[in-house]
Amino acid sequence: MLPAPFDVLPETAYRVLNLDAGETLFRQGDPSRGIFYLITGSVRLLRFARGGETIVVHRAGPLETFAEASLFVDVYHCDAILEQAAQLVELRRDPVLRQFHSDPLFAMALTSRFATQVQTYRRRLELLAVRSAQERVFTALAEGFLTGDIKTFATEIGLSHEATYRALSHLVRRGHLIKTGRGKYCVKTT
Amino acid sequence: MLPAPFDVLPETAYRVLNLDAGETLFRQGDPSRGIFYLITGSVRLLRFARGGETIVVHRAGPLETFAEASLFVDVYHCDAILEQAAQLVELRRDPVLRQFHSDPLFAMALTSRFATQVQTYRRRLELLAVRSAQERVFTALAEGFLTGDIKTFATEIGLSHEATYRALSHLVRRGHLIKTGRGKYCVKTT
DNA sequence: TTCACCTTATGATTGAAATCATATCTGATG
DNA sequence: CATCAGATATGATTTCAATCATAAGGTGAA
């Protein structure tokens, strides 16, 4: 049920929660209980500007973890509000830290997970820095971002789906991409 | 000289390198030697699309680390080319891993560093999803992204510096921000 | 089969940010 | 002090992606 490396944790280290849309998982300043893993649904992490405006710090979706840093700090630094009803796993802080200290493989795997995420996010940031839609779509494709459907792909790379379709057409017409099927494209091999 | 948590590493764990612009630090497929920390200068991490096009996976600047994931994988997955001449520290893989296993505090600190980075990158990605320049600038300010000068700030939040200056002016005129000095702004308290 | 719905796809219009241009202010340096 | 480089700042123009509109192709359910 849990993704690696959390699958080695004993049953006492986590519990499954079912929450409705709009419910609060934790609030800024609450003592940190642990990391969370979303099975289904979505959660918004919110902070509040001094003027009172709400700032969405992050939006977590299915199969994602969030609040990882809470392992190493004492309190949550933002609010977590359920966007959609969700089933999620609370990975309790103390048992996870205990595992971290007693099990070097777990420690390594956890660190490796974070390091890989850092890498992935950097790639996405670099991608979003590309101004031209065509170049961005091409790069994203070459980097393997197109896994599901085009609309999801478009959202991930920060373009409207129309702009994405257009860029794809242009790239095919200009010979940089090959269309291998409905909604399927691949980078042309030299 | 080294930032936490690497400052606890023994001298044998690292060495300082001086490289010129254009030099290659490592190539895709090279056995991974370790993490790098840039003192000055900049490095581009590049991958190559099948069509032969160069893709910038990441650009690292002064005081940044890169190739963190190399600790946990055997080979580099991209090229590292010096953009500007740089002084950098090579944190050798084996000694770092040894420290990781023998020193739980180091392990924790390293993991915490990565977790915090993940958090920061997620915030930046969320920020880049904000379409309006004014809203983006406001959010970025409220989130504390303005640390150095405005041009750096502008780059970080994916706007031209002109658009950023304009957005700042508008926000001040509309009463959302207070200008506290040349290039200094703060969010208005309710 | 028919209907509804979603994805894919493309055309037309618009708006907002990039770009180009210019000027002032500040700090560093000789 | 004079000069120069860079940051700050704003105006004018252009560009390009968002948006709005529309339609064909596919899929699943009644």
Side-chain angles (χ1 to χ4, degrees):
Chain A
M1 182 174 84
L2 285 170
F6 302 110
D7 50 355
V8 302
L9 289 169
E11 278 197 20
T12 53
Y14 58 89
R15 58 179 179 140
V16 178
L17 304 173
N18 287 286
L19 295 174
D20 288 331
E23 279 196 82
T24 301
L25 184 57
F26 55 77
R27 287 207 179 276
Q28 193 165 354
D30 283 359
S32 58
R33 304 202 302 274
I35 303 185
F36 295 90
Y37 170 67
L38 267 170
I39 300 171
T40 58
S42 61
V43 173
R44 277 172 193 277
L45 303 183
L46 308 173
R47 211 174 301 171
F48 300 95
R50 273 188 289 177
E53 293 89 346
T54 303
I55 289 168
V56 179
V57 173
H58 182 53
R59 186 194 160 282
L63 309 186
E64 289 181 5
T65 51
F66 60 94
E68 291 91 345
S70 67
L71 277 185
F72 311 101
V73 294
D74 293 333
V75 297
Y76 292 109
H77 64 289
C78 60
D79 288 15
I81 311 286
L82 277 283
E83 188 182 54
Q84 300 165 24
Q87 182 168 48
L88 41 77
V89 183
E90 179 187 284
L91 296 147
R92 292 170 50 224
R93 185 185 145 114
D94 287 352
V96 172
L97 286 177
R98 229 177 293 131
Q99 189 84 22
F100 189 92
H101 284 114
S102 66
D103 178 356
L105 278 183
F106 174 76
M108 281 269 292
L110 187 66
T111 312
S112 173
R113 181 189 166 92
F114 291 160
T116 307
Q117 283 190 11
V118 165
Q119 215 176 37
T120 307
Y121 285 129
R122 280 190 192 151
R123 282 198 301 149
R124 269 189 66 188
L125 281 168
E126 201 72 44
L127 194 59
L128 292 181
V130 175
R131 291 257 160 254
S132 140
Q134 279 178 55
E135 219 180 310
R136 188 130 114 218
V137 166
F138 178 85
T139 306
L141 256 162
E143 291 248 325
F145 277 92
L146 176 52
T147 51
D149 59 18
I150 307 279
K151 287 181 93 167
T152 311
F153 175 66
T155 308
E156 270 186 17
I157 65 174
L159 290 174
S160 66
H161 59 97
E162 295 97 326
T164 306
Y165 285 122
R166 261 186 268 275
L168 285 167
S169 306
H170 284 148
L171 286 165
V172 170
R173 237 172 285 147
R174 290 175 51 196
H176 292 95
L177 293 182
I178 296 169
K179 185 165 184 171
T180 57
R182 179 185 159 81
K184 287 184 183 176
Y185 297 85
C186 81
V187 176
K188 192 161 191 175
T189 317
T190 338
Chain B
M1 181 175 83
L2 285 170
F6 303 109
D7 50 356
V8 302
L9 289 170
E11 278 198 18
T12 53
Y14 58 89
R15 60 180 178 139
V16 178
L17 305 174
N18 287 284
L19 295 174
D20 288 332
E23 279 195 83
T24 301
L25 184 57
F26 56 76
R27 287 207 179 276
Q28 194 166 353
D30 283 359
S32 58
R33 305 201 303 274
I35 302 185
F36 295 90
Y37 169 66
L38 266 170
I39 299 172
T40 59
S42 60
V43 173
R44 279 172 191 275
L45 302 184
L46 308 172
R47 212 174 298 171
F48 300 96
R50 274 189 287 176
E53 291 89 346
T54 302
I55 289 168
V56 179
V57 173
H58 182 54
R59 185 195 161 280
L63 309 185
E64 289 180 4
T65 51
F66 60 94
E68 292 91 345
S70 68
L71 277 185
F72 311 101
V73 294
D74 294 330
V75 297
Y76 292 110
H77 64 287
C78 59
D79 288 16
I81 311 285
L82 278 282
E83 187 181 55
Q84 301 165 23
Q87 182 167 51
L88 42 77
V89 184
E90 178 187 284
L91 298 148
R92 293 169 50 226
R93 185 185 145 116
D94 287 352
V96 172
L97 286 177
R98 228 177 292 131
Q99 190 84 21
F100 189 93
H101 284 113
S102 65
D103 178 355
L105 278 183
F106 174 75
M108 281 270 291
L110 188 66
T111 312
S112 174
R113 180 189 167 93
F114 292 160
T116 306
Q117 284 191 11
V118 166
Q119 215 177 35
T120 306
Y121 286 130
R122 280 190 192 152
R123 284 197 301 148
R124 270 187 65 189
L125 280 167
E126 201 72 43
L127 195 60
L128 292 182
V130 175
R131 293 255 160 254
S132 141
Q134 278 179 55
E135 218 180 310
R136 189 131 114 217
V137 166
F138 178 85
T139 306
L141 255 162
E143 291 248 326
F145 278 92
L146 177 51
T147 52
D149 59 18
I150 307 278
K151 287 181 94 168
T152 312
F153 175 66
T155 308
E156 271 186 14
I157 66 175
L159 290 173
S160 66
H161 59 96
E162 295 98 326
T164 306
Y165 285 122
R166 262 185 267 275
L168 285 167
S169 307
H170 284 149
L171 287 165
V172 169
R173 237 172 286 146
R174 290 174 52 195
H176 292 96
L177 292 181
I178 295 168
K179 186 165 183 170
T180 58
R182 179 185 160 79
K184 287 182 182 177
Y185 297 84
C186 81
V187 176
K188 191 160 192 175
T189 318
T190 339

